[in-house]
């Protein structure tokens, strides 16, 4: 379903401002299954009736029940020299902590334990807080940001890659935890597909309709409410101080990007994993690790190459190009640049794959036996670079790409 663009300066009651490109449009009436896109930048701005809040709460409760099982039960097991060794998510993280690399462990823990737990608990908080009259605004604001950081789907690919890597050394079996983890990932995907934060805002904090002229309609950068600020200069819905653009967007995006470029050098030059086979030490950088993987299984090596080399480097180049284009107020190729920004937003998180594989491998084959696997110093730099590029994309306000147009009337046409 398409929305018509606003051209006449009359007064409308249901005007909205697009959070991506600042374009003003009429809010359409949507039926179940309908999706509305911004007429200017083609971003999804509204969906028809979706799953009810109680159904989403049920999914969150199911996730909470499965989480302890998925975290602690073995995901994969190997039989080495007559011994059964199992790898669980928590054991992998603890192995990193025991080695003294607390920061890398914290990064893995944040993506697969911390943020999913916050997501599930947020729904419980909303359900309980609604009846107790608690302030639900901070939780709704956090819900909007969580999606980028929950990486169950990537961890699942990590389990497959780790299994293929250790398959050469030992017999491999699936653990009980794998069933719990796959179910947890499916419930999470279902929840995130049907989660519409805008409709939750509407449910908990419905706002009165305002009769405004198009030029008076503002968009809150935090909760995406369209309307006017209250008399204290705050958004009437989320109560955060109103700002036309993300404050210090360019400065923060540049700082995160430059830091991530600096971190990418040690991440690629230092060893990321160290394997001891029969007492002989073998250091592997990201690149040499992919080469040794390619000798056995080319498709898996391609996946790891894409996640660990191609994605981080192309992401840095794209972000650099976008930030320079904004600084130079470039007007060419707006459509391509908007697409590139959406692409880096989507692919960025996949770079964490290698760290997840390492964390699993460590709990599997770090037994001080004939075969041992430890993490190299590059892992911390690599994880930091990935986190910083995700932050850089988060902090870059996409409206700045549109602002760079001198006329401000650029159209994103197919
Ligand atoms: Zn738009
Ligand atoms: Zn707001």
């Amino acid at each position: 379903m398409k929305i018509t663009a606003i051209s006449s300066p009359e007064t409308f009651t249901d005007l909205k401002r697009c959070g991506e490109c600042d374009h003003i449009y009429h809010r359409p009436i949507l039926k179940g299954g309908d999706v509305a896109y911004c007429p200017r930048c083609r971003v999804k701005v509204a969906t028809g009736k979706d799953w009810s809040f109680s159904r989403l709460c049920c999914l969150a409760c199911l996730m909470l029940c499965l989480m302890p099982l998925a975290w602690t039960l073995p995901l994969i097991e190997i039989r080495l020299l007559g011994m059964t060794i199992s790898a669980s998510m928590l054991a992998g993280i603890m192995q990193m902590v025991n080695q003294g690399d607390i920061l890398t462990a914290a990064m893995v823990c944040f993506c697969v334990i911390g943020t999913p737990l916050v997501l599930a608990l947020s729904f419980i908080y909303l359900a309980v807080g609604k009846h107790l009259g608690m302030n639900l605004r901070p939780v709704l604001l956090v819900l909007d940001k969580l999606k980028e950081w929950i990486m169950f789907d990537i961890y699942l690919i990590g389990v497959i890659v780790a299994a293929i890597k250790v398959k050469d050394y030992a017999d491999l079996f699936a653990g009980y935890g794998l069933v719990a983890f796959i179910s947890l990932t499916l419930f999470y995907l279902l929840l995130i597909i049907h989660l519409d934060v805008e409709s939750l805002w509407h449910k908990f904090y419905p706002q009165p309709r305002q009769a405004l002229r198009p030029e008076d309609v503002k968009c809150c950068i935090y909760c995406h409410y369209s309307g006017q600020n209250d008399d204290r200069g705050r958004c009437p819905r989320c109560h955060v101080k109103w700002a036309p653009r993300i404050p210090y967007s360019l400065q923060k995006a540049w700082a995160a990007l430059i830091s991530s470029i600096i971190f990418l050098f040690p991440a690629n030059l230092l060893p990321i994993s160290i394997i001891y086979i029969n007492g002989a030490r073998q250091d592997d950088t990201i690149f040499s690790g992919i080469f040794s993987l390619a000798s056995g299984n080319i498709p898996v090596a391609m996946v790891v190459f894409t996640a660990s080399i191609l994605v981080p480097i192309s992401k840095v180049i794209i972000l650099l190009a976008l930030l320079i284009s904004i600084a130079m107020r470039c007007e060419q190729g707006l459509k391509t640049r908007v697409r590139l920004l959406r692409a880096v937003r989507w692919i960025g998180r996949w770079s964490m794959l290698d760290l997840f594989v390492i964390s699993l491998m460590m709990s599997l084959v770090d037994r001080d036996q004939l075969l041992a696997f430890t993490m190299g110093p590059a892992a911390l730099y690599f994880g930091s670079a990935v986190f910083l590029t995700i932050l850089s994309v988060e902090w870059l306000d996409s409206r700045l790409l549109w602002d760079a147009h001198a006329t401000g009337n650029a159209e994103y046409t197919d």
Side-chain angles (χ1 to χ4, degrees):
M1 171 164 183
K2 284 193 175 174
I3 310 167
T4 48
I6 304 297
S7 51
S8 56
E10 298 160 34
T11 302
F12 298 99
T13 50
D14 268 344
L15 289 180
K16 293 269 171 195
R17 201 179 264 277
C18 172
E20 288 267 315
C21 72
D22 241 7
H23 186 71
I24 300 170
Y25 59 88
H26 274 295
R27 194 180 72 175
I29 296 161
L30 299 173
K31 296 188 203 79
D34 281 351
V35 180
Y37 298 92
C38 167
R40 192 193 196 194
C41 73
R42 301 278 188 270
V43 75
K44 189 159 91 176
V45 285
T47 46
K49 196 169 165 33
D50 213 331
W51 282 14
S52 67
F53 177 66
S54 41
R55 203 186 283 190
L56 295 178
C57 274
C58 287
L59 271 182
C61 288
L62 277 173
M63 278 177 68
L64 274 178
C65 296
L66 283 171
M67 275 174 191
L69 304 176
W71 292 337
T72 52
L73 291 179
L75 296 170
I76 38 180
E77 289 176 333
I78 57 168
R79 215 152 281 166
L80 191 67
L81 304 170
M83 270 177 68
T84 304
I85 305 165
S86 54
S88 70
M89 196 187 279
L90 212 55
I93 294 169
M94 288 314 292
Q95 197 73 29
M96 282 180 161
V97 175
N98 292 341
Q99 256 195 27
D101 212 333
I102 296 169
L103 281 174
T104 320
M107 286 180 206
V108 177
C109 186
F110 178 76
C111 300
V112 290
I113 295 183
T115 44
L117 192 62
V118 171
L119 176 80
L121 289 176
S122 297
F123 278 92
I124 311 294
Y125 182 91
L126 289 176
V128 176
K130 189 180 85 172
H131 294 291
L132 298 178
M134 289 149 79
N135 180 11
L136 310 178
R137 293 182 182 91
V139 176
L140 287 169
L141 286 172
V142 166
L143 265 186
D144 208 23
K145 300 277 171 207
L146 277 179
K147 211 161 122 183
E148 299 290 318
W149 298 99
I150 303 178
M151 304 192 186
F152 279 156
D153 39 354
I154 303 165
Y155 198 91
L156 197 58
I157 306 289
V159 174
I160 297 168
V161 174
I164 290 167
K165 274 193 171 185
V166 292
K167 184 173 71 108
D168 298 339
Y169 307 112
D171 295 330
L172 192 76
F173 305 93
Y176 291 118
L178 196 60
V179 181
F181 183 62
I182 291 174
S183 320
L184 178 61
T185 309
L186 288 177
F187 286 139
Y188 157 69
L189 289 173
L190 216 53
L191 179 70
I192 219 73
I193 288 169
H194 292 284
L195 171 64
D196 180 12
V197 182
E198 179 62 28
S199 69
L200 291 183
W201 274 112
H202 198 68
K203 177 184 168 68
F204 295 116
Y205 295 101
Q207 296 297 312
R209 286 184 170 185
Q210 292 174 311
L212 296 168
R213 285 174 304 164
E215 58 270 28
D216 293 334
V217 177
K218 296 178 187 172
C219 178
C220 171
I221 53 171
Y222 302 104
C223 74
H224 311 298
Y225 169 71
S226 290
Q228 278 214 311
N229 51 303
D230 63 8
D231 38 10
R232 291 166 67 184
R234 303 177 311 175
C235 164
R237 193 163 77 170
C238 69
H239 287 185
V240 180
K241 197 171 178 300
W242 205 291
R245 298 287 179 266
I246 296 174
Y248 304 108
S249 165
L250 282 180
Q251 290 91 329
K252 288 194 285 188
W254 269 114
L257 180 64
I258 292 168
S259 322
S260 75
I261 293 172
I262 295 169
F263 280 135
L264 273 179
F265 284 99
N268 281 286
L269 296 174
L270 295 174
I272 195 160
S273 61
I274 301 157
I275 305 176
Y276 294 91
I277 305 173
N278 296 327
R281 180 185 160 125
Q282 188 192 330
D283 287 16
D284 264 330
T285 59
I286 296 177
F287 216 75
S288 66
I290 292 166
F291 262 112
S292 54
L293 196 59
S295 58
N297 195 322
I298 290 176
V300 177
M302 289 298 289
V303 171
V304 180
F305 174 77
T306 310
S308 309
I309 306 252
L310 204 61
V311 168
I313 290 177
S314 53
K315 198 174 165 183
V316 160
I317 293 171
I318 290 171
L319 274 172
L320 211 54
L322 289 178
L323 285 171
I324 290 171
S325 82
I326 292 172
M328 298 181 74
R329 301 190 71 80
C330 172
E331 292 196 29
Q332 281 84 38
L334 178 66
K335 186 172 147 188
T336 315
R337 283 184 288 136
V338 170
R339 277 186 183 163
L340 283 174
L341 181 61
R342 282 176 198 161
V344 288
R345 210 176 273 167
W346 188 79
I347 56 166
R349 43 206 285 288
W350 284 91
S351 311
M352 286 297 281
L353 181 70
D354 221 19
L355 279 194
F356 296 156
V357 174
I358 289 170
S359 114
L360 265 173
M361 293 275 288
M362 276 173 70
S363 68
L364 266 187
V365 274
D366 188 34
R367 302 282 149 167
D368 295 328
Q369 293 164 0
L370 291 178
L371 189 68
F373 184 96
T374 55
M375 183 170 57
L380 175 63
Y381 296 112
F382 185 72
S384 310
V386 174
F387 263 57
L388 282 164
T389 46
I390 297 177
L391 281 176
S392 181
V393 177
E394 284 271 303
W395 283 332
L396 177 60
D397 195 327
S398 61
R399 280 165 289 205
L400 294 173
L401 285 173
W402 298 87
D403 290 347
H405 282 255
T407 56
N409 294 319
E411 287 294 328
Y412 177 102
T413 45
D414 284 318

